[in-house]
Amino acid sequence: GQRQVREPPEQGHRPGPGAAPESGRGQVHEPADPHRGAQLMEQVELAYRSCSMLVLPCRIDEHGDRDGLPTVIVEAFAHAVPVVSTSIIGIPEVVRHGETGLLVEPDDPQQLAEAIVELWADPQRAASMGRAGRRLVAEQFDPERSARMLAGVFSGVGVRR
């Protein structure tokens, strides 16, 4: 089966935001099993703390199916993890190229690889993008703010019988 190495051996270990320097050093990670289902929050938290970026090459399939805004992007930003993704549908609303992450065209593996290397080569820039993503999520996805906005919408709607 396929195996994924967490970091290129010649580059050394670069832990994700908030990770202990020794976490994940030299580990080989098997690809996620898509049939595993829900994971314990502790496992999810550990994964976010130990990654240096989220790479999500979204695309529109042959039937036109796509994610509007994948939740995992918002989760990554909430953990100050920068994102490399594609410029489709609602993704550019939160993955702001050069600010909170990097965007590439769908189905362009060369461009995707270059974006990954670009962030990998500049961990300070990646950390800055992760922090910007966290600020964006805190502002735009705050439940209290959303509740106030909804209350404002509903207060202007009259009930008709």
Side-chain angles (χ1 to χ4, degrees), residues 2-76:
Q2 290 183 334
R3 295 185 329 155
Q4 297 172 337
V5 177
R6 197 169 124 54
E7 72 272 351
E10 68 278 0
Q11 293 290 325
H13 178 67
R14 290 194 183 123
E22 65 280 351
S23 67
R25 186 182 304 254
Q27 291 181 8
V28 174
H29 297 275
E30 298 298 325
D33 179 355
H35 304 289
R36 279 183 90 169
Q39 299 293 304
L40 295 174
M41 196 60 201
E42 293 81 23
Q43 292 171 310
V44 174
E45 293 289 331
L46 179 60
Y48 279 120
R49 283 195 310 270
S50 66
C51 70
S52 52
M53 71 185 79
L54 170 72
V55 179
L56 190 66
C58 298
R59 57 189 301 275
I60 300 171
D61 76 8
E62 63 275 3
H63 304 291
D65 290 336
R66 69 206 84 176
D67 279 332
L69 175 59
T71 305
V72 69
I73 291 175
V74 176
E75 290 174 352

Side-chain angles (χ1 to χ4, degrees), residues 51-146:
C51 70
S52 52
M53 71 185 79
L54 170 72
V55 179
L56 190 66
C58 298
R59 57 189 301 275
I60 300 171
D61 76 8
E62 63 275 3
H63 304 291
D65 290 336
R66 69 206 84 176
D67 279 332
L69 175 59
T71 305
V72 69
I73 291 175
V74 176
E75 290 174 352
F77 284 155
H79 290 86
V81 174
V83 174
V84 175
S85 192
T86 51
S87 56
I88 62 170
I89 312 305
I91 295 171
E93 292 179 31
V94 291
V95 181
R96 297 178 178 167
H97 188 75
E99 181 185 338
T100 62
L102 297 176
L103 292 170
V104 300
E105 291 301 315
D107 301 313
D108 188 337
Q110 181 65 38
Q111 196 180 25
L112 180 66
E114 289 170 3
I116 292 168
V117 169
E118 183 179 335
L119 272 190
W120 184 261
D122 193 346
Q124 288 157 338
R125 181 174 181 221
S128 176
M129 288 180 177
R131 288 189 302 271
R134 176 179 273 190
R135 283 190 302 274
L136 178 81
V137 165
E139 293 166 7
Q140 292 192 357
F141 294 88
D142 174 52
E144 290 181 19
R145 177 180 175 265
S146 297

